[in-house]
Structure formats: structure tokens, C-alpha cells
Amino acid sequence: MAKTKNNDNIEEVVAEVIPFADEVDQNGKKKPGRPKKVDGLVITDNQHYFISQPNDVTQAISNLSAIERNCWLQILRGIQKNKDLPDGDPKKYELTLTRSQLLECVSGHSSNLDYAFNALKNITDSKKIFHSKDGHRIYAGLLSYVDEHPDHETYTVGITPVLLPYFTNLSSEFTVFDMYIEMSFKSVYSQRFYEFCCQYRNKEDKVFFMTVHDIKKMFNLLEVRDENGNIKQKEQYKNGSDFKRRVLDKAKDDIRSLYEKGLCDVCFDYKVKEKNSRGAVTSYYFIIETNGNTARLGVKKPITPTQIKIMSEGYGKKLNDQITIIHTCLRAHFRTEQSNYYVTAISKEVAKVDSVSERVEILQKMAKQLKKIVLRYKKDGFSENERKICGSICKMFYEDYNIPYMYSKPGKGVQGRLNFDD
């Protein structure tokens, strides 16, 4: 039977093993079969299992196929189930995937378990750079080996010990998602965007944005060259319409189809955020929707109109607080008319952003940059350093936030007397 466990307001549902329609030959040996499906999916109304993943893995560059990602989810599930075993216990560093789990991985693609073996082999061959919480940078593969058992229906994989804490001792920066929902998608783009929605679904305005370049980078769709400059891989979906149709629309439609059947707790829509000078889209907003299953599937319940009003008021206070911090800093280093000019210009520029939470994030980032600039210079030599501080601030506003100089371009008026060298 399924078990539930409440931990930090997240309901963990441990799924039952899917029964398989295996056939038996004349010698009594089982033949490979396919897992039972619901409308072509490997999930049912009561089959859910939640796992947690570091956010930088959710956002990582990856060229794994859908089957490889399914195998990865089974491995991650096993790692986190065994996390409380003693450090010396061999079972903590190796994981045996059962025939049922392997068939879940290839369901909808094939019933041949060789596909699962090849997927595990590719994961073993793939190495990445991991950043540990104590500042170490580790280059390693998650798996050290794959051992196919004589029955050819179960595989044991070796887990790289140095990476175990990375996936078990999770900080606040992690994503919780349902592995069976993700495994139901046959497209890698749908799988990844489901994870993105889960990462950002608890944002108060349920909006996030990504650039086209970042999405292509995460999906390994950009041009790749070797050390001699030769092209190993051409950029894919250069045409914006192809990218929209084959990546964004594919993910959106797949996830929404499951959402409308009540089998998924999130879906998304998107709209253009920015275009370049040639009219090509460079970034998109993604707007997350949640349904009545969200409480059951481990996330917050849908917000009420009263909560929306309170959140809006909260964001208004956050915006005012950040503007006050920025204005105070500017008043300490600029003349009154200059500080007023920049506060007004900043407010106009930030107001162009549709997402209120993103406005707060921009202002917070700006305030941190101002503090960093001011602290860069020594307190002695006040007159000379004030010129450098003012120049660096004006330059930062112009280059990072497209806020024009008060007197047009550098070299005119007051700005012309400032030192713009960092």
C-alpha cells in the first residue's frame, strides 16, 4: 500500500510497484513484458513518488535522452532512500535496479532492457563539474560502473562516493518534483520544463523568465567546437519559429495535456519578454498554473484573492525598501539633482518589467552592486575616491541596466569630470 509521510508541509507518497504483464515460456522462464499504462502513460491516479534535486542540477547543461533521464530519476530515488545508512555500508554506494524499475524507464520507448543498459552506460560515461557546499569543485561522473546480472533483467550501478552528500545533504536550494509525472513525458524538453515549473511554482507570482540562449545552453543545443576550433555540433533550431514549435510548444502542450487530465499539478504558458534589434525573440516569460492537486502533490494550495492582495502589498513594501536603500546610497555620493535623476530613471526602467517579483530581484541586485562599488575604494583620499565611486556607479547603471547618463554621454557636463576607470 502507498504510505504518506509529512515533512516540512510536503507530502511524500511512496508508490506501489507497478504490476507487469510478463509472459512465461514453456520452460517456466519469464519473457520481457511491458508495464501497464494509463492512456499511454506510466502513471496512474494514485502513483506518485517525490524526489529532491539541487537547483543547479535542475538548471544544468544536459544532453541526456528521455530514457537516460528516467534511469537518472530511479538512481536519485535510490540514493535518497539509502541516505541514512552508515557511511561504511556497501549498500549506500551501490544500487540495484529491478526489472520493474528498468521497464518503467523504457516504457513507451521499448520493452528491450538493452535500452536501459545503454542509458546507464551513457550516464556512467558522462562527467560534470559539481560545486560542493564547502567550496570544492569536483569533476566526476555520478556512476562508476554498471553491472548487468546473469539474468539480464537487473543491473547494479556503483555510486561515486564523493558525490553522495551533494544529492542527500540538500540545502534550501532544491527542487521537489514527482518522478512518475516526469517519466510519463517522452520528450526531454517536456521533462526539463516540468522540473522548471516545479522549481518556481512556489514563487508568489508564479512567473519566471529565461533567455533563449540559456535554454539552448541547458538543452545542449548550441554550437560546440573542439579545442582546435572545429565544429563538433551545429546550433540547433536557429530559426526562432522552429525553436518555439519544437521546444517551447512541445513542452507546453505535453504538460498541459497531463494537467487537464488531472495527472499533473502544474502547467505553464509563455510570452515574449525581449527582442533584439532585428526583431528576434531573445527571452521569454513563463507563467505557471497550478490545480487542485497541488496540496496533494507536495506544493502550496492555490492562493486566494485575499492572499493575492496581501502579497501585492508585500511586494510594494519590498520595492519601496529597495528604492530607499538605493536613494540613500546615491545621496551619499551624488548631488541632489543627480541622485533624484537616477532614482527616477531606475523606477521607469524597472516598471517595464511585468513580473513584480523580478522587479524586486533587479533592485536587490542593483543595491548589492552599489554597496560593492562603494566598498571597493579606501576611505582615505576622499575627494579622489568619490570621483571614482560616482564614475563607476554611472557606468554600472548604463552598461548593466541601460539607464542613460544624466548628461547624455560620458565626456559632457558633470560626468565629463568623473573618472570612469574601475
Side-chain angles (χ1 to χ4, degrees), residues 123 148 185 220 277 347 378:
I123 295 175
E148 181 184 52
F185 299 122
N220 199 34
S277 57
S347 300
K378 296 179 181 178

Side-chain angles (χ1 to χ4, degrees), residues 195-206:
E195 290 186 9
F196 299 154
C197 288
C198 289
Q199 179 181 350
Y200 294 107
R201 64 187 168 190
N202 284 337
K203 286 190 68 174
E204 293 179 358
D205 62 353
K206 290 181 168 41

Side-chain angles (χ1 to χ4, degrees), residues 221-244:
L221 299 176
L222 295 174
E223 181 182 279
V224 178
R225 294 177 179 266
D226 61 22
E227 56 187 12
N228 297 320
N230 300 316
I231 297 178
K232 293 175 59 179
Q233 172 184 292
K234 293 183 179 180
E235 181 178 350
Q236 300 181 51
Y237 309 131
K238 278 190 173 182
N239 184 292
S241 297
D242 287 343
F243 174 78
K244 180 175 175 292

Side-chain angles (χ1 to χ4, degrees), residues 146-163:
V146 181
D147 178 14
E148 181 184 52
H149 293 198
D151 60 9
H152 305 296
E153 293 188 346
T154 53
Y155 303 131
T156 296
V157 296
I159 312 297
T160 305
V162 72
L163 295 181

Side-chain angles (χ1 to χ4, degrees), residues 211-275:
T211 66
V212 173
H213 181 272
D214 286 345
I215 296 172
K216 285 189 172 183
K217 184 178 180 181
M218 283 186 283
F219 291 161
N220 199 34
L221 299 176
L222 295 174
E223 181 182 279
V224 178
R225 294 177 179 266
D226 61 22
E227 56 187 12
N228 297 320
N230 300 316
I231 297 178
K232 293 175 59 179
Q233 172 184 292
K234 293 183 179 180
E235 181 178 350
Q236 300 181 51
Y237 309 131
K238 278 190 173 182
N239 184 292
S241 297
D242 287 343
F243 174 78
K244 180 175 175 292
R245 176 169 55 89
R246 298 193 179 190
V247 178
L248 301 184
D249 287 343
K250 173 62 176 173
K252 184 185 78 168
D253 294 345
D254 283 354
I255 296 173
R256 183 168 289 278
S257 174
L258 221 61
Y259 177 87
E260 291 176 350
K261 293 177 182 178
L263 298 176
C264 183
D265 58 319
V266 294
C267 67
F268 74 93
D269 203 348
Y270 66 90
K271 65 177 182 177
V272 174
K273 180 179 184 292
E274 291 177 331
K275 295 183 179 182

Side-chain angles (χ1 to χ4, degrees), residues 27-303:
N27 298 322
K29 184 177 180 180
K30 287 185 178 181
K31 295 181 180 180
R34 290 178 180 268
K36 292 183 178 179
K37 302 178 186 178
V38 177
D39 294 331
L41 307 174
V42 298
I43 63 174
T44 65
D45 288 335
N46 61 357
Q47 183 180 357
H48 298 283
Y49 191 92
F50 290 94
I51 56 179
S52 303
Q53 179 174 266
N55 281 353
D56 50 356
V57 174
T58 303
Q59 300 283 332
I61 301 172
S62 174
N63 58 354
L64 296 181
S65 68
I67 294 179
E68 289 163 3
R69 292 191 66 81
N70 292 345
C71 290
W72 154 255
L73 295 179
Q74 296 283 18
I75 293 166
L76 186 56
R77 173 185 182 177
I79 288 174
Q80 294 179 354
K81 286 184 70 173
N82 295 336
K83 67 179 181 179
D84 294 328
L85 292 176
D87 289 341
D89 193 326
K91 293 181 180 179
K92 191 167 186 174
Y93 306 107
E94 67 177 24
L95 177 67
T96 297
L97 297 179
T98 66
R99 182 174 182 276
S100 297
Q101 291 174 312
L102 295 170
L103 284 171
E104 287 176 355
C105 293
V106 300
S107 176
H109 303 273
S110 172
S111 60
N112 189 338
L113 294 186
D114 283 341
Y115 282 85
F117 180 82
N118 290 331
L120 292 168
K121 175 181 174 295
N122 290 339
I123 295 175
T124 305
D125 293 339
S126 177
K127 293 187 176 182
K128 298 183 182 300
I129 295 177
F130 297 87
H131 297 270
S132 66
K133 297 177 179 62
D134 55 1
H136 288 251
R137 188 166 58 172
I138 305 168
Y139 178 66
L142 178 65
L143 303 183
S144 56
Y145 66 85
V146 181
D147 178 14
E148 181 184 52
H149 293 198
D151 60 9
H152 305 296
E153 293 188 346
T154 53
Y155 303 131
T156 296
V157 296
I159 312 297
T160 305
V162 72
L163 295 181
L164 274 180
Y166 189 80
F167 295 100
T168 54
N169 301 335
L170 298 175
S171 66
S172 59
E173 301 295 326
F174 63 89
T175 303
V176 179
F177 59 92
D178 189 324
M179 63 173 285
Y180 282 106
I181 291 178
E182 178 165 336
M183 289 172 68
S184 69
F185 299 122
K186 302 304 177 286
S187 164
V188 172
Y189 308 134
S190 305
Q191 290 180 323
R192 297 292 303 274
F193 267 99
Y194 167 67
E195 290 186 9
F196 299 154
C197 288
C198 289
Q199 179 181 350
Y200 294 107
R201 64 187 168 190
N202 284 337
K203 286 190 68 174
E204 293 179 358
D205 62 353
K206 290 181 168 41
V207 176
F208 66 99
F209 77 93
M210 289 183 176
T211 66
V212 173
H213 181 272
D214 286 345
I215 296 172
K216 285 189 172 183
K217 184 178 180 181
M218 283 186 283
F219 291 161
N220 199 34
L221 299 176
L222 295 174
E223 181 182 279
V224 178
R225 294 177 179 266
D226 61 22
E227 56 187 12
N228 297 320
N230 300 316
I231 297 178
K232 293 175 59 179
Q233 172 184 292
K234 293 183 179 180
E235 181 178 350
Q236 300 181 51
Y237 309 131
K238 278 190 173 182
N239 184 292
S241 297
D242 287 343
F243 174 78
K244 180 175 175 292
R245 176 169 55 89
R246 298 193 179 190
V247 178
L248 301 184
D249 287 343
K250 173 62 176 173
K252 184 185 78 168
D253 294 345
D254 283 354
I255 296 173
R256 183 168 289 278
S257 174
L258 221 61
Y259 177 87
E260 291 176 350
K261 293 177 182 178
L263 298 176
C264 183
D265 58 319
V266 294
C267 67
F268 74 93
D269 203 348
Y270 66 90
K271 65 177 182 177
V272 174
K273 180 179 184 292
E274 291 177 331
K275 295 183 179 182
N276 62 19
S277 57
R278 300 187 303 275
V281 178
T282 57
S283 62
Y284 289 95
Y285 283 115
F286 297 92
I287 303 95
I288 302 170
E289 297 179 43
T290 59
N291 59 22
N293 290 334
T294 53
R296 176 166 166 260
L297 296 182
V299 294
K300 294 179 180 178
K301 295 180 179 179
I303 55 178

Side-chain angles (χ1 to χ4, degrees), residues 325-344:
I325 292 171
I326 293 170
H327 197 187
T328 302
C329 180
L330 295 178
R331 285 290 301 272
H333 302 282
F334 287 96
R335 294 200 307 269
T336 301
E337 65 269 23
Q338 287 178 294
S339 60
N340 290 343
Y341 163 77
Y342 275 112
V343 168
T344 301

